[in-house]
Amino acid sequence: MSEEIKSILEVALGDEESAMVHISNFMQEYQSVKKVKAALIIDVQKGLEGTHLTELTICDPLEKGIQAPYMATNDMVVRHMPEPGDYLVLYDDGYVSISPAKAFNDGYLPVRGIAGSDYLMDFGAAIDFVRSGAKIARKGWNGKGMFVVYQKGYPEGIPCNKQTAEAWGMNEGDLFKCRPYLQLKTADGSHCMWSPSVSDVLGDDWVIVNS
């Protein structure tokens, strides 16, 4: 480990220079399920003459036919000089950064994946995605067009309609509270509340559905 990297990863305890500890001792673990947009970097031209810019050639990671140049500023590349295979990442707040390929691929799956694609995950990862708004399905499901979505329910309640009132012995218009639930689009196009089976929970063939 270089001295530069070591200095970034350590903090001092008190005034003792010798009492250096790794910064991870002051951190908690977090897991992200946020969505970002990213382009694949396929070429890097460092230090363009007369500028402080680095020209990146980027393309859609899933459709690599169209390429475009992107001028990265010095502050974007000072910590990590991009290489072909890395990613240019755009966040919801407009912030743009460069991510090494391994770090990005370990943390993100393409939302545009479809049932039958190569991007498979276990149920734990699928639940994280469905709660963030994605549609999920198992690659092994036989029914065409089936997928699961997350419904937020009505935790604060809504006025119940006649059918609900009769089913629950309530008065029409009474406040009806409903907790969040999972809903399945079935092969015939209808919808129903859904609970996973043991096989679903243990399955590792979950995919993101684009529909």
Side-chain angles (χ1 to χ4, degrees):
M1 180 184 298
S2 70
E3 288 300 318
E4 180 183 3
I5 294 177
K6 185 177 180 182
S7 67
I8 293 173
L9 296 178
E10 291 185 338
V11 293
L13 289 181
D15 297 327
E16 297 292 331
E17 292 187 4
S18 60
M20 303 294 290
V21 297
H22 198 279
I23 57 175
S24 63
N25 290 287
F26 296 88
M27 297 178 174
Q28 293 290 335
E29 289 186 338
Y30 293 83
Q31 182 170 328
S32 172
V33 293
K34 64 186 176 185
K35 291 182 182 178
V36 299
K37 292 186 176 181
L40 182 67
I41 298 171
I42 59 176
D43 188 55
V44 179
Q45 297 295 324
K46 304 176 183 178
L48 296 180
E49 185 176 354
T51 74
H52 295 288
L53 301 175
T54 297
E55 181 177 337
L56 311 177
T57 302
I58 62 174
C59 69
D60 185 318
L62 301 184
E63 298 177 6
K64 300 179 180 179
I66 301 177
Q67 302 175 5
Y70 179 86
M71 299 301 176
T73 58
N74 186 57
D75 60 328
M76 294 178 66
V77 301
V78 66
R79 289 292 302 277
H80 173 73
M81 176 56 69
E83 300 176 353
D86 290 344
Y87 290 86
L88 184 70
V89 184
L90 172 64
Y91 296 86
D92 285 343
D93 61 1
Y95 180 72
V96 180
S97 69
I98 294 167
S99 176
K102 185 178 187 307
F104 186 85
N105 290 327
D106 285 350
Y108 293 97
L109 289 172
V111 175
R112 285 181 55 196
I114 58 173
S117 74
D118 294 330
Y119 301 103
L120 305 180
M121 56 189 151
D122 61 23
F123 186 66
I127 283 294
D128 286 338
F129 275 102
V130 78
R131 292 185 68 175
S132 69
K135 301 178 181 70
I136 59 171
R138 290 193 66 184
K139 186 177 180 180
W141 280 350
N142 294 324
K144 184 177 180 180
M146 294 175 61
F147 60 81
V148 173
V149 299
Y150 172 76
Q151 293 282 25
K152 296 179 181 179
Y154 302 97
E156 302 302 321
I158 58 171
C160 65
N161 57 30
K162 181 179 180 180
Q163 178 176 293
T164 301
E166 291 178 351
W168 292 101
M170 303 170 66
N171 296 316
E172 186 174 353
D174 283 353
L175 192 65
F176 184 80
K177 295 184 178 182
C178 181
R179 294 181 178 181
Y181 58 94
L182 297 174
Q183 192 171 50
L184 174 72
K185 181 182 179 183
T186 66
D188 64 8
S190 61
H191 302 82
C192 63
M193 289 190 180
W194 180 81
S195 294
S197 67
V198 173
S199 295
D200 292 327
V201 172
L202 298 180
D204 57 4
D205 61 345
W206 286 92
V207 294
I208 304 295
V209 174
N210 181 36
S211 65

